[in-house]
Amino acid sequence: MRSRVILIIAAAALVVVLVLLGVGDQLLVNLLWFRELGYGSVFATTLSAQAAIFAAVWLVSFAVISASGLAALALAQERERLHVIRRPDDLVEVNLPELLRRYGERIPWRLLVVGAAALLAIFVAQGEAGSWDVYLKGFFGVPFGRTDPAFGRDLGFYIFRLPLLEDWRDLFLSVLFLAAAMAGAVYWARGTVDFRETPPRIGRGAAAHLSFLFGLFFVQRAFSYWLGRFELTLHSDGVVFGLRYIDHLLWEPGLWLLVVLSLLAALICIANLRNPGLKLPVVAAVVVFGPSLLLNLAQPAIEGLWVKPDQLRIERPYLARNIALTRSAFKLDTVDVKPFAGRGQLTRASLVQDTPTIDNIRLWDPRPLIATYRQLQEIRLYYDFHDIDIDRYWVGGKYTQVMLSARELSTTLLPQEAQTWVNRRLKFTHGYGLVMSPVNRKDVEGMPVFYIKDIPPTSDAGLKVTQPGIYFGEEHNSYAIVDAAAPEFDYPQGAGNVFAFYKGRGGIPLAGLWRRLLFSYFFRDINLLVSEAIVGRSRILIRRNIGDRVATLAPFLIQDRDPYMVLYKGRLVWIIDCYTTSDHYPYSQRTADGINYIRNSVKVVIDAYSGATDFYVADPSDPVIRTWQQIFPAMFRPLSEMTAGLRAHVRYPEDFFLIQADIYRTYHMTDPEVFYNREDQWSFPRENYAGETVMMQPYYVIMRLPGETQAEYILMLPMVPHGRDNMIAWIAARCDGADYGHLFQYAFSKDKLFYGPYQVQARINQNPDISRQLSLWNQMGSKVILGNLLVIPIAQSLLYVEPLYIRAETGQLPELQRVIASDSERTVMGDTLDYTLSSLFGEAMPVPATTANLTAAQPAAPAAVAKLAPDLSKAAAHYERALAALKGGDWTAFGTEMQALGRELGQPASAAPSSAP
């Protein structure tokens, strides 16, 4: 007997331990991780808020639900005491309520009700604790300093307070429903309500109780109608977003009326307590929902008879509010609009004057370049380039735009037999270095010219990588153990490998049995507990994916889709743009994602080696980020504390720019009449890539803006009229220095045609010489890929540039072989940008000796002009003779002619077939 008791106690203790681990492992791991990063106070604030919300909501929910259940129990027992309940012994059919009544004295009813209430309250409180950010913003939100035009409330009320009030409204209804459900269950179990009769028989006490709950329901409806007044500024009928004329005329007074009627209905239900019955609750429902129905029926009648016949005049003031507040919400009210007459003539002199712009025209498209990087620089099968980043560096004293990619390590790429726990967790722990190349240079074979390449990283451009290890990146999504008993794989060298120990400060120490037990349970991995490779100095790196890292530290921030790597003082760091958003900005149009307010308020910097994570406030004027600064004062640092060298790589984020551009397509129209008629609505331009028509994406470029003296780094995008392909404007965002974040629009003259990207691509395809050559390449076992077509403003004219890549039909190594340029009147193609631009003017263009896009093996520009455009007649002759030899079965002649054709077109001779298949 004693041993059995001990066994039961041990089993119970084990169950308790497992439950505590199941609840506490996440909590303890987060505590250690937040402290390791220096954000222990952030964790404490978040946990305290969650605990306080849970406790308060649980207490209120438990009190209401249990009070309702206990009141129902008391009323049912009182009814049973006053009335004799028939309990026949000869029932043929005995149902559950009958059994409960028969054996009710054996059931601990009060304990059952209290326990059920406590359990239900846990579910309610848990859901509310998950909305801790809504509570904190509601309590600590700072004012916007601008009031809404309808109700005169500060916009902070809508962004911070209104979501919390809406949450409480829903909480009120949820708790009330559970309280009613608890009472109904008790009444049913005790037989006070009998559903076997028609209509159901309800005891007098139960009727009074349910009447009281109905009264509370109408109080909830009054609160909901009161909030509904403010929610009028957050809906749309397709013409106006926000409060409209019909809302002002009908729903503003109508909702006030419903508030009063709901309170009156609540009083009617309370009055029903004296003489409980169904009559007064039905009257209360009619009092509230009858006028509500009438209001809904009146709206289409008023709109059809009064509003729509003169909609523009009537809705004009509301349209003006919609336009103004939408532009403010998306930070479009400061866009600088400048005219672009486009009457300039593109000449050699204008190109020479804009040499910094010409020298940084992007010829490498990220889409084919990533395939080239992977083929040339992955080095080993377990390395991977996730994507291409675009940035700018000072190289050789020149402000130069570059493309780069981090060489990350993915253990999933290891051979199956090598995917052991030791290899995945202790040996292959990090990527190594990066690849960098200028946007506009190629070698004689059409490959990129590398500024940084190979393992260990080497550079001919004076760029040094002193700490190439990448323990934190876009690929890493699993934990790693560093400082284990044996060194880690560092990088491959020749036929062997180099091993080293981790020298960073990142990671959580694994010393002690309890930590190993904790992480073993957290990751459900017994190896963490039993492996002898883990020693006293070992540390565990978790949340190594930089997106997961930021999402765990600051779940209230929305991340940009494209983190980018920066080489700074020999170290590799990541920069992630983060946004504060809301869907409660009054009168502001919502995006497809449902937001109607956004700011690029935070730049997050993560060290790729140590994992150190810093949050910098990039937009201190944003009230939302100021609110979070009040909540987490130790988390955020001003952007002025970011070192100048790192700040030089901050850029305007593409996601933010795309959202703004999408809204600006319509909201550049500030006149309500023009806006109402959509007279000047824009669209994103189309372009053709790899045989598919896609929307053109914004692109970064170093250029000298019209009227400016210095070249600068900007993000730009052309715009076209809705449903047409000609250009109507281009918008851009500055990325450099004190002008960072300045948006501007260059509005094209409407009395002149400016070709859009899709139209220029069509002209390229219609050029007989270019089209013939593309057809020849595509018939030679190669595939032609046309890259991004860039529109480059030069003074008061436009230059269109499109790179052309060639790869084998079954290959994955695109080569930059040609550059196509156009000035709207002429379209030419050449080996390099310099020679193409020379051909555009029919002669050699004087090019400065420092021009970056000349390849190392090219002759001087004048000599290259002669070979700029191949003699297509000779090429066609070789092609015809090759086909004739093929039909005649003369494979030797076929190979000879194809080699000659390849030389004529500038292709490597080896690309041509030389023997029969």
Side-chain angles (χ1 to χ4, degrees):
M1 181 68 179
R2 187 172 183 180
S3 60
R4 182 179 297 178
V5 171
I6 293 174
L7 185 62
I8 293 173
I9 293 175
L14 180 60
V15 170
V16 171
V17 169
L18 290 176
V19 170
L20 289 176
L21 282 174
V23 174
D25 63 335
Q26 181 84 27
L27 184 68
L28 292 174
V29 168
N30 280 343
L31 174 61
L32 294 173
W33 185 70
F34 273 79
R35 283 182 174 177
E36 181 253 325
L37 288 174
Y39 294 114
S41 62
V42 174
F43 177 79
T45 299
T46 303
L47 183 62
S48 300
Q50 290 175 318
I53 294 167
F54 182 92
V57 173
W58 182 88
L59 186 61
V60 171
S61 302
F62 171 72
V64 173
I65 297 171
S66 61
S68 179
L70 292 174
L73 180 62
L75 291 170
Q77 290 174 336
E78 178 66 15
R79 179 175 179 273
E80 293 170 4
R81 188 179 64 82
L82 296 175
H83 302 278
V84 177
I85 305 297
R86 183 174 62 90
R87 297 180 180 179
D89 296 327
D90 57 346
L91 288 176
V92 177
E93 179 184 354
V94 180
N95 54 34
L96 180 60
E98 190 67 38
L99 288 173
L100 291 173
R101 289 195 298 272
R102 183 178 298 180
Y103 302 105
E105 64 277 0
R106 302 182 185 180
I107 299 174
W109 286 100
R110 293 180 64 84
L111 182 62
L112 187 64
V113 168
V114 171
L119 182 62
L120 292 174
I122 287 175
F123 291 118
V124 176
Q126 188 175 16
E128 287 299 297
S131 301
W132 58 271
D133 56 328
V134 175
Y135 277 78
L136 290 181
K137 286 191 297 183
F139 291 139
F140 296 99
V142 302
F144 271 65
R146 179 176 183 174
T147 57
D148 81 282
F151 300 103
R153 288 184 175 264
D154 186 90
L155 299 185
F157 168 80
Y158 294 90
I159 303 296
F160 305 124
R161 309 291 194 279
L162 185 57
L164 179 59
L165 294 174
E166 291 171 336
D167 186 272
W168 285 350
R169 173 195 62 193
D170 298 338
L171 175 63
F172 189 172
L173 185 61
S174 298
V175 173
L176 186 60
F177 172 80
L178 292 175
M182 174 66 77
V186 171
Y187 288 133
W188 172 78
R190 301 291 298 194
T192 307
V193 177
D194 192 345
F195 291 100
R196 291 175 299 176
E197 299 182 11
T198 304
R201 176 173 53 82
I202 303 176
R204 183 181 178 85
H209 186 188
L210 295 177
S211 183
F212 176 76
L213 293 176
F214 268 117
L216 292 180
F217 169 74
F218 286 117
V219 172
Q220 192 273 345
R221 295 312 304 157
F223 182 42
S224 181
Y225 289 134
W226 182 78
L227 290 181
R229 296 166 51 248
F230 303 109
E231 292 172 336
L232 293 173
T233 65
L234 301 172
H235 73 149
S236 173
D237 66 347
V239 176
V240 180
F241 191 95
L243 189 139
R244 306 157 295 168
Y245 175 78
I246 189 68
D247 299 324
H248 174 69
L249 177 71
L250 181 67
W251 285 107
E252 277 193 74
L255 287 170
W256 266 124
L257 174 64
L258 292 176
V259 169
V260 174
L261 292 177
S262 295
L263 294 176
L264 177 61
L267 293 176
I268 292 173
C269 290
I270 299 300
N272 192 51
L273 296 178
R274 289 187 175 183
N275 188 21
L278 290 176
K279 183 178 179 181
L280 288 181
V282 170
V283 169
V286 171
V287 165
V288 174
F289 297 117
S292 176
L293 179 61
L294 292 176
L295 287 170
N296 280 283
L297 293 175
Q299 177 175 333
I302 295 174
E303 287 183 321
L305 297 175
W306 177 255
V307 178
K308 290 185 178 179
D310 196 13
Q311 191 172 41
L312 174 59
R313 182 187 64 80
I314 291 175
E315 299 285 18
R316 177 183 287 271
Y318 306 99
L319 281 169
R321 295 175 182 179
N322 175 201
I323 294 169
L325 285 165
T326 297
R327 288 170 62 91
S328 171
F330 291 94
K331 210 171 184 179
L332 297 172
D333 50 350
T334 58
V335 174
D336 190 2
V337 180
K338 301 180 180 180
F340 188 86
R343 302 191 183 280
Q345 184 69 30
L346 194 64
T347 64
R348 291 184 307 166
S350 60
L351 295 185
V352 171
Q353 188 177 1
D354 266 325
T355 295
T357 300
I358 301 300
D359 282 351
N360 282 283
I361 291 178
R362 197 179 81 194
L363 301 182
W364 282 104
D365 189 315
R367 292 167 289 191
L369 184 61
I370 188 67
T372 302
Y373 274 10
R374 286 170 177 162
Q375 291 293 319
L376 299 180
Q377 283 292 311
E378 280 187 348
I379 311 296
R380 292 289 188 272
L381 57 86
Y382 38 76
Y383 288 126
D384 184 35
F385 293 108
H386 185 267
D387 62 7
I388 298 292
D389 296 325
I390 304 173
D391 203 353
R392 69 282 197 198
Y393 289 78
W394 285 93
V395 179
K398 282 193 167 186
Y399 200 40
T400 305
Q401 190 176 12
V402 301
M403 290 180 164
L404 63 152
S405 187
R407 186 185 290 106
E408 299 192 57
L409 186 145
S410 177
T411 54
T412 60
L413 299 177
L414 288 169
Q416 189 62 38
E417 59 274 12
Q419 291 199 23
T420 63
W421 183 82
V422 171
N423 279 345
R424 290 184 295 111
R425 306 302 186 195
L426 280 79
K427 288 296 182 185
F428 293 90
T429 57
H430 60 280
Y432 204 84
L434 77 162
V435 174
M436 182 188 293
S437 60
V439 297
N440 54 358
R441 292 184 62 185
K442 65 169 185 171
D443 62 18
V444 292
E445 295 181 348
M447 298 290 107
V449 174
F450 291 109
Y451 281 165
I452 301 176
K453 61 180 180 178
D454 298 340
I455 300 176
T458 61
S459 174
D460 296 329
L463 300 169
K464 295 182 180 179
V465 184
T466 57
Q467 184 49 270
I470 303 176
Y471 285 83
F472 302 86
E474 296 180 87
E475 292 277 358
H476 301 295
N477 56 6
S478 59
Y479 72 87
I481 308 295
V482 295
D483 280 342
E488 311 157 34
F489 164 76
D490 199 21
Y491 61 89
Q493 187 176 60
N497 295 322
V498 175
F499 294 85
F501 285 102
Y502 180 68
K503 298 181 177 63
R505 298 181 179 178
I508 303 170
L510 282 175
L513 177 62
W514 82 269
R515 289 200 178 193
R516 294 180 65 171
L517 177 64
L518 171 64
F519 283 100
S520 177
Y521 186 81
F522 180 75
F523 287 109
R524 308 301 191 264
D525 190 343
I526 192 64
N527 293 292
L528 283 166
L529 183 62
V530 301
S531 175
E532 295 182 0
I534 301 175
V535 295
R537 67 173 183 271
S538 298
R539 283 170 288 168
I540 184 169
L541 307 179
I542 66 174
R543 295 180 181 130
R544 298 197 297 145
N545 178 275
I546 56 177
D548 293 344
R549 199 172 188 82
V550 173
T552 305
L553 283 170
F556 47 85
L557 296 177
I558 305 300
Q559 298 179 48
D560 190 87
R561 292 174 298 174
D562 184 27
Y564 60 101
M565 173 161 278
V566 172
L567 173 61
Y568 173 64
K569 292 186 176 180
R571 298 182 68 89
L572 304 179
V573 300
W574 297 96
I575 296 181
I576 306 178
D577 286 282
C578 291
Y579 310 107
T580 51
T581 62
S582 176
D583 58 359
H584 273 65
Y585 200 92
Y587 288 99
S588 176
Q589 178 69 48
R590 288 196 173 105
T591 67
D593 294 329
I595 64 171
N596 66 355
Y597 174 87
I598 186 170
R599 290 292 186 272
N600 175 215
S601 296
V602 178
K603 308 283 185 181
V604 183
V605 178
I606 302 176
D607 190 293
Y609 189 75
S610 69
T613 306
D614 295 309
F615 292 80
Y616 294 94
V617 176
D619 187 356
S621 65
D622 172 31
V624 180
I625 199 59
R626 295 209 314 271
T627 296
W628 287 116
Q629 283 181 284
Q630 281 198 156
I631 297 168
F632 300 121
M635 186 175 205
F636 299 99
R637 303 165 63 183
L639 192 62
S640 58
E641 292 187 10
M642 183 186 289
T643 60
L646 193 56
R647 192 171 179 179
H649 293 281
V650 167
R651 69 185 189 187
Y652 203 83
E654 188 174 331
D655 280 358
F656 187 33
F657 185 76
L658 272 172
I659 291 172
Q660 290 179 304
D662 185 50
I663 295 295
Y664 197 68
R665 293 185 307 114
T666 302
Y667 285 87
H668 71 277
M669 298 178 284
T670 55
D671 182 271
E673 183 172 353
V674 176
F675 181 90
Y676 176 82
N677 294 317
R678 298 298 197 267
E679 296 177 20
D680 192 23
Q681 190 166 10
W682 299 346
S683 294
F684 292 163
R686 299 183 297 164
E687 67 171 342
N688 189 284
Y689 178 77
E692 295 183 2
T693 300
V694 297
M695 291 296 104
M696 191 173 190
Q697 296 298 305
Y699 49 91
Y700 294 97
V701 62
I702 293 178
M703 63 172 288
R704 185 175 65 85
L705 294 171
E708 301 292 334
T709 58
Q710 299 292 326
E712 57 185 290
Y713 195 53
I714 66 169
L715 177 63
M716 65 175 292
L717 178 68
M719 302 297 281
V720 299
H722 184 66
R724 299 174 62 186
D725 290 318
N726 60 290
M727 270 202 302
I728 191 68
W730 60 278
I731 56 177
R734 284 175 151 158
C735 300
D736 287 343
D739 285 329
Y740 172 83
H742 180 200
L743 287 175
F744 55 90
Q745 166 204 339
Y746 280 93
F748 288 8
S749 173
K750 296 185 178 180
D751 58 0
K752 180 181 178 180
L753 174 66
F754 295 87
Y755 288 119
Y758 200 68
Q759 292 174 320
V760 172
Q761 285 185 322
R763 287 171 59 86
I764 291 172
N765 292 329
Q766 293 166 5
N767 183 290
D769 293 335
I770 296 177
S771 178
R772 188 182 304 118
Q773 190 160 337
L774 298 184
S775 298
L776 290 174
W777 272 322
N778 281 322
Q779 293 174 16
M780 291 171 56
S782 300
K783 182 175 179 60
V784 175
I785 302 172
L786 292 172
N788 279 127
L789 189 144
L790 305 183
V791 183
I792 310 296
I794 304 291
Q796 283 294 317
S797 57
L798 295 176
L799 172 66
Y800 305 85
V801 177
E802 183 170 35
L804 182 149
Y805 312 93
I806 297 178
R807 66 170 173 83
E809 189 70 37
T810 58
Q812 294 296 326
L813 187 60
E815 301 174 358
L816 175 57
Q817 288 294 343
R818 294 291 188 271
V819 179
I820 303 171
S822 175
D823 64 353
S824 297
E825 297 179 1
R826 295 156 294 179
T827 302
V828 297
M829 181 170 69
D831 292 342
T832 68
L833 177 61
D834 292 320
Y835 305 140
T836 303
L837 294 179
S838 298
S839 181
L840 194 63
F841 303 108
E843 57 180 326
M845 182 183 73
V847 180
T850 57
T851 298
N853 49 44
L854 282 172
T855 61
Q858 289 287 354
V865 174
K867 58 176 288 186
L868 177 62
D871 190 339
L872 295 180
S873 61
K874 291 183 179 180
H878 286 301
Y879 180 65
E880 295 295 335
R881 288 196 289 270
L883 289 180
L886 181 62
K887 291 177 181 179
D890 188 347
W891 297 105
T892 302
F894 174 76
T896 301
E897 292 298 332
M898 291 302 289
Q899 287 178 338
L901 174 61
R903 287 192 296 272
E904 195 65 45
L905 295 178
Q907 282 284 85
S910 60
S914 58
S915 60

